[in-house]
Amino acid sequence: MSQPPVDVVGLTREELESLLESLGEPRYRGRQVFQWVQARRARRPEAMTSLSKALRGLLAERVRADRPELAQMQQAADGTRKYLFRLGDGEEIESVLIPDEDRLTACISTQVGCPLACRFCLTGLMGLRRNLAAGEIVGQVLSLQEALEPAERISNMVLMGMGEPLLNFPNVEKALDILCDELGASFSPRRITLSTAGHVPGIQKLAASKLAVNLAVSLSATTDAVRDQLMPINRRWPIAELLAACREFPLPNRRRLSFEYVMLDQVNDHREDAHRLAKLLRGIRCKINLIPFNATPDLPDRPSPRQRVEAFQKILHDAGLTATIRESRGWDISAACGMLRTEQGRA
Ligand code: SAH
């Protein structure tokens, strides 16, 4: 019996070098295969024309370079595009591309569904179906890049799609390692942001890893009583512990943490909340992203009126903090923050 083919999209450069070595080839052949898969986005060994015909034949039997299959694309009035991908086992995920004047941001999923059940997020209603493999996370980016116009290039990446990235840390870490490899897609870690609902051990692992990506923390409340209600993960790691981990997070020069704050009418948008938030974040080099709540009939809360969001922002500004209001993008196709839920996830 021959072995099943190895999926190479989720292999690091070193792993591919070892794989080729195990096939009796020099290690640099592994590097070439890595370049073909990650930089030139070859889907099949037959296309890797810098390799000998014999080696291509051998690889065709031994490896696959599978990607999530693009099942649907929707474009919003504001240019935001949402992609539905089908995975090898039939599970589905969504990714979003957000064009701006000078950037094109890819919003990537790390899990099918999410176990955290935040009250304001539709993905949470799906529950966790499974983690994505490293190759599925990388494949998502390769497939997105492929779906672009030839002149377009993904400039920024946010791990803010479906799932909690720090609950799938080994696969996320490996995927980012592959995507940042200079012989592959060569993303700059400075242009990647990982967003967490506040998984403290995960933040510590990220701090200790060599991945120098940006960290965003979804805070969305200023008291444990309220945060417990909104984000059940707070019952395990309350605000003080979360912010202690943030204070310890190593920040390179001129970089800042981000705190995301979903604005819910009469829930977390009081003047007292703004004052408390300023006090909680004192001494942390950070910026705050106020996110207008994207309401849907399946979620209980209402969005804060614009004046309340602006009054909240003003209090933060007056306290010396940087706070921006994130413009909601892709709302009409359910591509905005917290709105990623596949049809499968309604079953
Ligand atoms: N699990 C990670 C990654 C998902 S990021 C995290 O929680 O950070 C998704 C972002 O969208 C989070 O900042 C979250 O607070 C925000 N969000 C979720 N549901 C939303 C909604 N209905 N409206 C606006 N923002 C929402």
Side-chain angles (χ1 to χ4, degrees), residues 114 116 118 120-122 159-161 163-165 195-197 216-218 220 231 260 262 291-295 299 326 337-339:
C114 182
L116 294 181
C118 298
F120 45 75
C121 180
L122 279 180
L159 277 57
M160 298 187 186
E164 166 52 45
S195 180
T196 179
V217 175
S218 301
S220 294
M231 305 178 71
E260 294 150 292
V262 182
I291 313 182
F293 171 56
N294 295 305
L299 298 170
R326 184 185 289 175
C337 295
M339 298 183 79

mmCIF file of all heavy atoms in Angstrom, residues 114 116 118 120-122 159-161 163-165 195-197 216-218 220 231 260 262 291-295 299 326 337-339, ligand 1:
data_model
loop_
_atom_site.group_PDB
_atom_site.id
_atom_site.type_symbol
_atom_site.label_atom_id
_atom_site.label_comp_id
_atom_site.label_asym_id
_atom_site.label_seq_id
_atom_site.Cartn_x
_atom_site.Cartn_y
_atom_site.Cartn_z
ATOM 1 N N CYS A 114 -17.213 29.026 16.616
ATOM 2 C CA CYS A 114 -16.448 29.536 17.758
ATOM 3 C C CYS A 114 -17.122 29.056 19.039
ATOM 4 O O CYS A 114 -18.343 29.056 19.134
ATOM 5 C CB CYS A 114 -16.432 31.071 17.727
ATOM 6 S SG CYS A 114 -15.468 31.810 19.084
ATOM 7 N N LEU A 116 -16.891 30.488 22.035
ATOM 8 C CA LEU A 116 -16.896 31.453 23.136
ATOM 9 C C LEU A 116 -18.240 32.104 23.428
ATOM 10 O O LEU A 116 -18.445 32.653 24.505
ATOM 11 C CB LEU A 116 -15.820 32.523 22.906
ATOM 12 C CG LEU A 116 -14.387 31.973 22.957
ATOM 13 C CD1 LEU A 116 -13.379 33.090 22.741
ATOM 14 C CD2 LEU A 116 -14.116 31.268 24.285
ATOM 15 N N CYS A 118 -19.922 34.863 22.691
ATOM 16 C CA CYS A 118 -20.119 36.261 23.065
ATOM 17 C C CYS A 118 -21.545 36.668 22.667
ATOM 18 O O CYS A 118 -22.026 36.295 21.603
ATOM 19 C CB CYS A 118 -19.097 37.156 22.348
ATOM 20 S SG CYS A 118 -17.401 36.755 22.797
ATOM 21 N N PHE A 120 -22.924 39.274 21.616
ATOM 22 C CA PHE A 120 -23.157 40.178 20.487
ATOM 23 C C PHE A 120 -22.670 39.624 19.156
ATOM 24 O O PHE A 120 -22.648 40.335 18.156
ATOM 25 C CB PHE A 120 -22.469 41.522 20.769
ATOM 26 C CG PHE A 120 -21.060 41.355 21.305
ATOM 27 C CD1 PHE A 120 -20.030 40.989 20.477
ATOM 28 C CD2 PHE A 120 -20.812 41.538 22.663
ATOM 29 C CE1 PHE A 120 -18.753 40.819 20.972
ATOM 30 C CE2 PHE A 120 -19.531 41.368 23.170
ATOM 31 C CZ PHE A 120 -18.496 40.999 22.319
ATOM 32 N N CYS A 121 -22.270 38.353 19.110
ATOM 33 C CA CYS A 121 -21.613 37.836 17.895
ATOM 34 C C CYS A 121 -22.355 36.639 17.317
ATOM 35 O O CYS A 121 -22.649 35.673 18.015
ATOM 36 C CB CYS A 121 -20.172 37.446 18.224
ATOM 37 S SG CYS A 121 -19.262 36.806 16.810
ATOM 38 N N LEU A 122 -22.633 36.706 16.010
ATOM 39 C CA LEU A 122 -23.367 35.621 15.358
ATOM 40 C C LEU A 122 -22.552 34.344 15.237
ATOM 41 O O LEU A 122 -23.095 33.241 15.293
ATOM 42 C CB LEU A 122 -23.799 36.047 13.952
ATOM 43 C CG LEU A 122 -25.053 36.909 13.830
ATOM 44 C CD1 LEU A 122 -25.309 37.216 12.355
ATOM 45 C CD2 LEU A 122 -26.265 36.195 14.423
ATOM 46 N N LEU A 159 -6.765 38.621 11.872
ATOM 47 C CA LEU A 159 -7.368 37.356 12.283
ATOM 48 C C LEU A 159 -8.592 37.714 13.112
ATOM 49 O O LEU A 159 -8.588 37.667 14.338
ATOM 50 C CB LEU A 159 -6.358 36.504 13.074
ATOM 51 C CG LEU A 159 -5.409 35.687 12.188
ATOM 52 C CD1 LEU A 159 -4.642 36.559 11.224
ATOM 53 C CD2 LEU A 159 -4.443 34.876 13.016
ATOM 54 N N MET A 160 -9.625 38.139 12.383
ATOM 55 C CA MET A 160 -10.853 38.618 13.017
ATOM 56 C C MET A 160 -12.072 37.996 12.360
ATOM 57 O O MET A 160 -13.176 38.508 12.479
ATOM 58 C CB MET A 160 -10.957 40.145 12.910
ATOM 59 C CG MET A 160 -9.839 40.902 13.614
ATOM 60 S SD MET A 160 -10.145 42.677 13.597
ATOM 61 C CE MET A 160 -8.612 43.285 14.313
ATOM 62 N N GLY A 161 -11.862 36.913 11.637
ATOM 63 C CA GLY A 161 -12.999 36.234 11.023
ATOM 64 C C GLY A 161 -13.634 35.294 12.035
ATOM 65 O O GLY A 161 -13.695 35.601 13.229
ATOM 66 N N GLY A 163 -14.032 32.506 14.693
ATOM 67 C CA GLY A 163 -13.194 31.756 15.619
ATOM 68 C C GLY A 163 -12.332 32.594 16.536
ATOM 69 O O GLY A 163 -12.191 33.801 16.372
ATOM 70 N N GLU A 164 -11.773 31.914 17.536
ATOM 71 C CA GLU A 164 -10.852 32.551 18.481
ATOM 72 C C GLU A 164 -9.445 32.015 18.176
ATOM 73 O O GLU A 164 -9.137 30.853 18.469
ATOM 74 C CB GLU A 164 -11.284 32.199 19.921
ATOM 75 C CG GLU A 164 -10.256 32.497 21.002
ATOM 76 C CD GLU A 164 -9.712 33.933 20.973
ATOM 77 O OE1 GLU A 164 -10.505 34.880 20.837
ATOM 78 O OE2 GLU A 164 -8.484 34.079 21.061
ATOM 79 N N PRO A 165 -8.603 32.856 17.578
ATOM 80 C CA PRO A 165 -7.289 32.367 17.123
ATOM 81 C C PRO A 165 -6.442 31.747 18.239
ATOM 82 O O PRO A 165 -5.717 30.785 17.991
ATOM 83 C CB PRO A 165 -6.612 33.613 16.549
ATOM 84 C CG PRO A 165 -7.515 34.763 16.788
ATOM 85 C CD PRO A 165 -8.850 34.255 17.193
ATOM 86 N N SER A 195 -6.597 39.051 16.740
ATOM 87 C CA SER A 195 -7.573 39.588 17.697
ATOM 88 C C SER A 195 -8.066 38.473 18.605
ATOM 89 O O SER A 195 -8.422 37.389 18.144
ATOM 90 C CB SER A 195 -8.743 40.202 16.922
ATOM 91 O OG SER A 195 -9.696 40.734 17.823
ATOM 92 N N THR A 196 -8.081 38.742 19.906
ATOM 93 C CA THR A 196 -8.540 37.727 20.862
ATOM 94 C C THR A 196 -9.651 38.268 21.745
ATOM 95 O O THR A 196 -9.689 39.457 22.067
ATOM 96 C CB THR A 196 -7.383 37.236 21.763
ATOM 97 O OG1 THR A 196 -7.912 36.267 22.691
ATOM 98 C CG2 THR A 196 -6.742 38.371 22.556
ATOM 99 N N ALA A 197 -10.532 37.358 22.157
ATOM 100 C CA ALA A 197 -11.587 37.720 23.102
ATOM 101 C C ALA A 197 -11.032 37.795 24.522
ATOM 102 O O ALA A 197 -11.764 38.142 25.450
ATOM 103 C CB ALA A 197 -12.725 36.708 23.022
ATOM 104 N N ALA A 216 -4.689 42.572 19.131
ATOM 105 C CA ALA A 216 -5.899 43.332 19.458
ATOM 106 C C ALA A 216 -6.688 42.524 20.483
ATOM 107 O O ALA A 216 -6.758 41.310 20.389
ATOM 108 C CB ALA A 216 -6.741 43.562 18.199
ATOM 109 N N VAL A 217 -7.247 43.217 21.454
ATOM 110 C CA VAL A 217 -8.001 42.540 22.508
ATOM 111 C C VAL A 217 -9.426 43.084 22.505
ATOM 112 O O VAL A 217 -9.635 44.297 22.580
ATOM 113 C CB VAL A 217 -7.334 42.767 23.886
ATOM 114 C CG1 VAL A 217 -8.178 42.160 24.993
ATOM 115 C CG2 VAL A 217 -5.929 42.173 23.899
ATOM 116 N N SER A 218 -10.391 42.178 22.389
ATOM 117 C CA SER A 218 -11.792 42.601 22.411
ATOM 118 C C SER A 218 -12.216 42.761 23.856
ATOM 119 O O SER A 218 -12.424 41.775 24.561
ATOM 120 C CB SER A 218 -12.654 41.556 21.698
ATOM 121 O OG SER A 218 -12.209 41.398 20.364
ATOM 122 N N SER A 220 -14.689 45.451 25.360
ATOM 123 C CA SER A 220 -16.150 45.621 25.298
ATOM 124 C C SER A 220 -16.903 45.751 26.619
ATOM 125 O O SER A 220 -18.132 45.668 26.633
ATOM 126 C CB SER A 220 -16.801 44.516 24.448
ATOM 127 O OG SER A 220 -16.391 44.655 23.110
ATOM 128 N N MET A 231 -19.383 38.441 27.554
ATOM 129 C CA MET A 231 -18.343 37.537 27.059
ATOM 130 C C MET A 231 -18.043 36.509 28.144
ATOM 131 O O MET A 231 -17.271 36.766 29.071
ATOM 132 C CB MET A 231 -17.077 38.339 26.706
ATOM 133 C CG MET A 231 -17.345 39.480 25.721
ATOM 134 S SD MET A 231 -15.873 40.468 25.342
ATOM 135 C CE MET A 231 -14.923 39.300 24.356
ATOM 136 N N GLU A 260 -10.554 46.542 21.257
ATOM 137 C CA GLU A 260 -11.811 46.697 20.529
ATOM 138 C C GLU A 260 -12.952 46.784 21.542
ATOM 139 O O GLU A 260 -12.942 46.095 22.570
ATOM 140 C CB GLU A 260 -12.023 45.501 19.592
ATOM 141 C CG GLU A 260 -10.995 45.443 18.478
ATOM 142 C CD GLU A 260 -10.712 44.026 18.020
ATOM 143 O OE1 GLU A 260 -10.119 43.265 18.806
ATOM 144 O OE2 GLU A 260 -11.095 43.689 16.894
ATOM 145 N N VAL A 262 -17.099 46.961 21.383
ATOM 146 C CA VAL A 262 -18.374 46.965 20.658
ATOM 147 C C VAL A 262 -19.379 47.806 21.440
ATOM 148 O O VAL A 262 -19.591 47.566 22.627
ATOM 149 C CB VAL A 262 -18.928 45.529 20.505
ATOM 150 C CG1 VAL A 262 -20.221 45.540 19.701
ATOM 151 C CG2 VAL A 262 -17.915 44.619 19.845
ATOM 152 N N ILE A 291 -16.359 50.012 18.088
ATOM 153 C CA ILE A 291 -17.026 49.336 16.969
ATOM 154 C C ILE A 291 -18.539 49.487 17.110
ATOM 155 O O ILE A 291 -19.123 48.975 18.059
ATOM 156 C CB ILE A 291 -16.683 47.825 16.931
ATOM 157 C CG1 ILE A 291 -15.169 47.609 17.098
ATOM 158 C CG2 ILE A 291 -17.170 47.201 15.647
ATOM 159 C CD1 ILE A 291 -14.760 46.143 17.029
ATOM 160 N N PRO A 292 -19.157 50.186 16.163
ATOM 161 C CA PRO A 292 -20.623 50.247 16.194
ATOM 162 C C PRO A 292 -21.182 48.823 16.095
ATOM 163 O O PRO A 292 -20.732 48.037 15.263
ATOM 164 C CB PRO A 292 -20.976 51.063 14.945
ATOM 165 C CG PRO A 292 -19.729 51.825 14.605
ATOM 166 C CD PRO A 292 -18.588 50.951 15.041
ATOM 167 N N PHE A 293 -22.098 48.513 16.973
ATOM 168 C CA PHE A 293 -22.665 47.159 17.011
ATOM 169 C C PHE A 293 -23.475 46.889 15.748
ATOM 170 O O PHE A 293 -24.336 47.680 15.356
ATOM 171 C CB PHE A 293 -23.563 47.032 18.251
ATOM 172 C CG PHE A 293 -24.371 45.761 18.301
ATOM 173 C CD1 PHE A 293 -23.755 44.515 18.231
ATOM 174 C CD2 PHE A 293 -25.755 45.813 18.441
ATOM 175 C CE1 PHE A 293 -24.499 43.342 18.290
ATOM 176 C CE2 PHE A 293 -26.503 44.641 18.509
ATOM 177 C CZ PHE A 293 -25.882 43.409 18.428
ATOM 178 N N ASN A 294 -23.212 45.759 15.107
ATOM 179 C CA ASN A 294 -24.001 45.326 13.961
ATOM 180 C C ASN A 294 -25.144 44.466 14.481
ATOM 181 O O ASN A 294 -24.928 43.328 14.883
ATOM 182 C CB ASN A 294 -23.124 44.538 12.988
ATOM 183 C CG ASN A 294 -22.051 45.434 12.384
ATOM 184 O OD1 ASN A 294 -22.355 46.480 11.813
ATOM 185 N ND2 ASN A 294 -20.796 45.056 12.547
ATOM 186 N N ALA A 295 -26.324 45.049 14.482
ATOM 187 C CA ALA A 295 -27.477 44.362 15.076
ATOM 188 C C ALA A 295 -28.130 43.431 14.061
ATOM 189 O O ALA A 295 -28.115 43.693 12.859
ATOM 190 C CB ALA A 295 -28.483 45.394 15.556
ATOM 191 N N LEU A 299 -29.798 38.636 17.599
ATOM 192 C CA LEU A 299 -28.995 39.086 18.744
ATOM 193 C C LEU A 299 -29.823 40.052 19.589
ATOM 194 O O LEU A 299 -30.617 40.830 19.060
ATOM 195 C CB LEU A 299 -27.718 39.779 18.244
ATOM 196 C CG LEU A 299 -26.767 38.907 17.422
ATOM 197 C CD1 LEU A 299 -25.671 39.748 16.773
ATOM 198 C CD2 LEU A 299 -26.139 37.806 18.281
ATOM 199 N N ARG A 326 -14.655 52.583 14.336
ATOM 200 C CA ARG A 326 -14.468 51.744 13.142
ATOM 201 C C ARG A 326 -15.717 51.837 12.281
ATOM 202 O O ARG A 326 -16.816 51.573 12.748
ATOM 203 C CB ARG A 326 -14.233 50.294 13.565
ATOM 204 C CG ARG A 326 -13.924 49.375 12.386
ATOM 205 C CD ARG A 326 -13.814 47.931 12.790
ATOM 206 N NE ARG A 326 -12.612 47.641 13.563
ATOM 207 C CZ ARG A 326 -12.353 46.455 14.108
ATOM 208 N NH1 ARG A 326 -13.212 45.466 13.964
ATOM 209 N NH2 ARG A 326 -11.255 46.259 14.802
ATOM 210 N N CYS A 337 -18.226 43.011 11.161
ATOM 211 C CA CYS A 337 -17.763 42.391 12.411
ATOM 212 C C CYS A 337 -18.883 41.620 13.091
ATOM 213 O O CYS A 337 -19.977 42.151 13.303
ATOM 214 C CB CYS A 337 -17.302 43.457 13.398
ATOM 215 S SG CYS A 337 -15.880 44.374 12.870
ATOM 216 N N GLY A 338 -18.593 40.401 13.455
ATOM 217 C CA GLY A 338 -19.545 39.631 14.242
ATOM 218 C C GLY A 338 -20.693 39.047 13.438
ATOM 219 O O GLY A 338 -21.612 38.460 13.984
ATOM 220 N N MET A 339 -20.658 39.206 12.103
ATOM 221 C CA MET A 339 -21.795 38.740 11.303
ATOM 222 C C MET A 339 -21.484 37.502 10.481
ATOM 223 O O MET A 339 -22.285 37.080 9.641
ATOM 224 C CB MET A 339 -22.272 39.869 10.385
ATOM 225 C CG MET A 339 -22.751 41.078 11.174
ATOM 226 S SD MET A 339 -23.387 42.371 10.129
ATOM 227 C CE MET A 339 -25.028 41.750 9.759
HETATM 228 N N1 SAH B 1 -12.454 35.830 18.697
HETATM 229 C C1 SAH B 1 -11.635 36.963 18.356
HETATM 230 C C2 SAH B 1 -11.607 37.194 16.863
HETATM 231 C C3 SAH B 1 -12.930 37.650 16.261
HETATM 232 S S1 SAH B 1 -12.759 39.328 16.002
HETATM 233 C C4 SAH B 1 -12.087 38.176 19.146
HETATM 234 O O1 SAH B 1 -13.115 38.091 19.818
HETATM 235 O O2 SAH B 1 -11.400 39.188 19.144
HETATM 236 C C5 SAH B 1 -14.320 39.874 15.864
HETATM 237 C C6 SAH B 1 -14.444 41.320 16.357
HETATM 238 O O3 SAH B 1 -15.764 41.752 16.058
HETATM 239 C C7 SAH B 1 -14.287 41.399 17.862
HETATM 240 O O4 SAH B 1 -13.594 42.549 18.221
HETATM 241 C C8 SAH B 1 -15.715 41.481 18.337
HETATM 242 O O5 SAH B 1 -15.794 42.178 19.551
HETATM 243 C C9 SAH B 1 -16.398 42.208 17.214
HETATM 244 N N2 SAH B 1 -17.810 41.875 17.088
HETATM 245 C C10 SAH B 1 -18.385 40.685 17.296
HETATM 246 N N3 SAH B 1 -19.710 40.757 17.057
HETATM 247 C C11 SAH B 1 -19.974 42.022 16.669
HETATM 248 C C12 SAH B 1 -21.156 42.711 16.258
HETATM 249 N N4 SAH B 1 -22.344 42.094 16.197
HETATM 250 N N5 SAH B 1 -21.042 44.011 15.927
HETATM 251 C C13 SAH B 1 -19.848 44.629 15.961
HETATM 252 N N6 SAH B 1 -18.704 44.027 16.323
HETATM 253 C C14 SAH B 1 -18.762 42.735 16.685
#
